[in-house]
């Protein structure tokens, strides 16, 4: 069982911004390229109202330090 619960993409994106991620580039639609010093870029491809499940949250946490902030 995952320690992550499903949540809205807007909440996860806001959490990433609070810990230092910023939008480097935004294309049409939902794709945004995020950057943070010391990390490789991260592509965010969710609409604000999308529900992100526990498995995808775990994947996001591996690529970002999100899991350290919880």
């Amino acid at each position: 069982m995952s320690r992550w619960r499903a949540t809205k993409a807007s909440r996860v994106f806001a959490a990433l911004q609070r810990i230092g991620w910023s939008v480097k580039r935004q294309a049409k639609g939902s794709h945004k390229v995020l950057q943070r010093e010391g990390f490789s870029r991260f592509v965010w491809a969710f609409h604000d109202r999308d529900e992100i499940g526990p498995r995808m949250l775990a994947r996001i946490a591996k690529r970002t330090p999100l899991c350290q902030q919880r």
Side-chain angles (χ1 to χ4, degrees), residues 9 12 15 17 19 21 24-26 30-31 34 38 40-41 45-46 49 51 54 58-59 61-62 65 67:
V12 179
Q17 287 182 313
I19 61 171
W21 289 89
K24 178 180 181 182
R25 180 175 72 239
Q26 182 170 359
S30 61
H31 285 70
L34 304 179
S40 60
R41 66 182 183 197
F46 301 99
R49 289 180 277 174
E51 185 88 11
R59 289 178 188 166
K62 279 185 177 181
C67 60

Side-chain angles (χ1 to χ4, degrees), residues 2-64:
S2 177
R3 70 181 198 160
W4 300 95
R5 284 197 236 146
T7 190
K8 295 288 183 183
S10 59
R11 291 189 66 177
V12 179
F13 186 72
L16 289 173
Q17 287 182 313
R18 279 194 302 273
I19 61 171
W21 289 89
S22 61
V23 178
K24 178 180 181 182
R25 180 175 72 239
Q26 182 170 359
K28 277 188 170 182
S30 61
H31 285 70
K32 299 173 186 160
V33 177
L34 304 179
Q35 67 179 6
R36 181 177 171 187
E37 191 173 321
F39 293 90
S40 60
R41 66 182 183 197
F42 181 71
V43 177
W44 182 259
F46 301 99
H47 292 281
D48 286 342
R49 289 180 277 174
D50 286 349
E51 185 88 11
I52 301 177
R55 290 185 68 170
M56 183 55 73
L57 283 172
R59 289 178 188 166
I60 292 169
K62 279 185 177 181
R63 297 268 330 267
T64 66

